[in-house]
Amino acid sequence: MRYVAFTLIFGTLLVGCATVQERVSLKDCEFSIQGAKLRNVDLQGFSMDVLLKVVNPNSIDAVVDKFVGSVFIEGLKVADVSTKYGERVPAGSSVILPISVDVKYSYLKEAASRLLNVITLRRAEVGIEGKAYMEFDVPLLGKKTVPYPIKLSRTVSF
C-alpha cells in the first residue's frame, strides 16, 4: 500500500514538474510582430489582428497561456487587450498568435483622422506592450501565474 501511495505522489510531482518546465521555458522564447491583418473597416472604426510570432529555441515545448496589454498604431494607444491562448509552442519551432483589436474612431477623438490616413495607405507602425503569462498548477501550492514582459513595434503593411 505504501508503494502505491509513493508512486501516486511521485507521479503527481513529475507531471507537475513537466508542466512547470513547459511554462518556465517561455522566458527563453523570442517574440516579434510578424505583421497585421485588417479584418473590417466601417464608418465607426476598424478591426485587425496583430500577429505575434513566438519562436521557441528550447528543447522542450513552451506554453503561452494569455497576453494582456495595449496595442499602439503610429504611437497612439488604440486598445487594451486581453487574450487567452493556452497555446503550445513546440520545441525548436514557432507559432503565430493573433491579438485581436477593435478600434472605434469615437474613442480616439482628434487622432481618428490620423488613423484614417493609415488605413488609406495600408501601412503603419504597430506596437504592443504588455505581458505574456504562464499559468501552472504546482502540487500542494495550487495555481501560479508568472508574467513575461513584452514591448515590440514594427512597421507593417496590411
Side-chain angles (χ1 to χ4, degrees), residues 71-144:
V71 175
F72 299 84
I73 297 178
E74 293 296 318
L76 301 169
K77 180 179 170 183
V78 295
D80 289 318
V81 294
S82 179
T83 306
K84 288 193 175 230
Y85 297 110
E87 183 75 29
R88 183 173 299 281
V89 185
S93 188
S94 66
V95 297
I96 304 293
L97 303 175
I99 299 173
S100 297
V101 181
D102 294 315
V103 179
K104 300 295 180 202
Y105 299 132
S106 60
Y107 170 74
L108 302 172
K109 299 183 179 28
E110 67 278 350
S113 62
R114 189 168 158 192
L115 288 181
L116 282 172
N117 191 39
V118 165
I119 291 171
T120 304
L121 296 174
R122 300 183 66 84
R123 181 177 176 86
E125 180 183 346
V126 175
I128 58 171
E129 186 173 326
K131 295 178 181 170
Y133 286 88
M134 309 164 264
E135 297 176 343
F136 50 89
D137 290 318
V138 178
L140 307 173
L141 297 178
K143 189 172 203 140
K144 298 295 176 190

Side-chain angles (χ1 to χ4, degrees), residues 29-48:
C29 289
E30 299 163 9
F31 294 84
S32 63
I33 295 176
Q34 180 69 29
K37 185 168 69 172
L38 195 59
R39 288 184 289 137
N40 185 34
V41 178
D42 59 29
L43 295 174
Q44 284 75 43
F46 62 93
S47 300
M48 67 185 290

